[in-house]
Amino acid sequence: MILILREAFLGATRFEEFLPRTGINRAALTSRLAALVEYGVLERNPPDARRAQYSLTEAGRELAPMMSTMREWGEKWLFEAEDTERPPLQ
């Protein structure tokens, strides 16, 4: 779910955007997006449409500091200095 949240913070809104950016198979992505909607982290608009858009809810946006901290940790401990040129989470 963290990969999905990362992409939502980076601007992904459609299933087709999340799919290649996360590397998750279609069934798993469908299930995880539904869970994030159920938990109130994402909302789906329109709720019953085949091609809906996903957006962060207020609760989802409040995860930004945690996501940012995790990113900083990863940049410090997992990636080479030249690999850290990524857009900031919003």
Side-chain angles (χ1 to χ4, degrees), residues 15-36:
F15 184 91
E16 295 80 17
E17 294 172 328
F18 289 105
L19 194 60
R21 295 177 185 182
T22 60
I24 301 169
N25 69 49
R26 296 182 78 80
L29 180 58
T30 299
S31 172
R32 291 174 186 159
L33 284 169
L36 288 166

Side-chain angles (χ1 to χ4, degrees), residues 33-72:
L33 284 169
L36 288 166
V37 169
E38 183 179 331
Y39 299 149
V41 175
L42 292 176
E43 61 185 356
R44 180 185 161 109
N45 290 308
D48 298 323
R50 180 171 160 86
R51 293 184 41 86
Q53 275 192 294
Y54 294 90
S55 58
L56 291 159
T57 62
E58 182 179 352
R61 288 188 298 274
E62 286 191 18
L63 291 170
M66 183 269 308
M67 295 294 290
S68 196
T69 299
M70 289 176 60
R71 179 182 177 159
E72 290 168 11

